[in-house]
Amino acid sequence: MSVLTRFAMLEQSAFRLLEHAGYLKGLLKPFKGKGALEGWASQCEALRDDLIMLAQRQVLAQARSHPFNLLPTQLAQQTTGAGTTFLRWRNLDRTRMGVALWQDMIVNPATPPGLINDLHAIEVQRAVLNMQISLLHTLARQARDCASKLTHADDIYLCRTGYQADLSQSHPGGECPKYQASAKRR
């Protein structure tokens, strides 16, 4: 007996247009400066944004269509303060949000049995996409944080080795306030 499904899970072909392998290869290389880290962070952010678009176009679009749009709990997108977007379950009046709403809908006898498999597939897809989006966001943030640390290390190095010509461009008078401040704390 075949089960009728209304929701189509994302297949590998949906990801082929994304450069999904490049960012991991980029992680395992010797970064030689902040520029390489900034570039890799930008790649991670672009890939994260592409995944968000994929989620909106293919997953959210299906989850908002008939018959899912008739249910009391629906899939929606939520933009975070950190600037990324995730898929979340929410009720119609937007007073509650979270996977508990999906759980309630699955166990509710009023939910049509013919939708249970599709609702499970949507939840699996939602959880996986949110994880992928979160990881890419974290990798980009960590790469930018590391680039900032390299800038700080370069500043201290330049102060210590006496490259005054380089310092005079970024620090009036050729002084190194960051180095002096950290030296005072010792």
Side-chain angles (χ1 to χ4, degrees), residues 111-157:
T111 302
L115 294 182
I116 299 299
N117 289 336
D118 290 306
L119 290 170
H120 175 258
I122 292 170
E123 172 55 15
V124 168
Q125 190 72 81
R126 182 199 72 81
V128 169
L129 279 170
N130 282 355
M131 179 267 309
Q132 291 169 320
I133 291 166
S134 179
L135 284 173
L136 287 166
H137 183 77
T138 299
L139 288 171
R141 189 181 73 241
Q142 289 294 321
R144 292 201 188 283
D145 184 49
C146 187
S148 175
K149 290 175 182 177
L150 294 185
T151 297
H152 178 73
D154 288 348
D155 286 348
I156 300 303
Y157 172 78

Side-chain angles (χ1 to χ4, degrees), residues 39-114:
W40 188 66
S42 294
Q43 289 176 339
C44 289
E45 289 166 343
L47 186 54
R48 176 203 62 198
D49 294 344
D50 288 346
L51 269 176
I52 291 169
M53 292 299 294
L54 180 66
Q56 291 168 342
R57 284 190 319 265
Q58 294 193 29
V59 176
L60 199 56
Q62 288 184 76
R64 287 182 171 171
S65 68
H66 184 79
F68 306 112
N69 62 345
L70 302 174
L71 297 171
T73 297
Q74 297 179 358
L75 197 62
Q77 62 183 31
Q78 177 193 26
T79 302
T80 68
T84 194
T85 302
F86 294 105
L87 297 177
R88 304 278 193 237
W89 293 102
R90 73 172 181 216
N91 61 0
L92 295 179
D93 65 4
R94 300 177 184 210
T95 57
R96 290 181 57 215
M97 186 176 274
V99 75
L101 291 169
W102 173 84
Q103 292 169 353
D104 292 346
M105 186 171 51
I106 290 292
V107 299
N108 187 339
T111 302

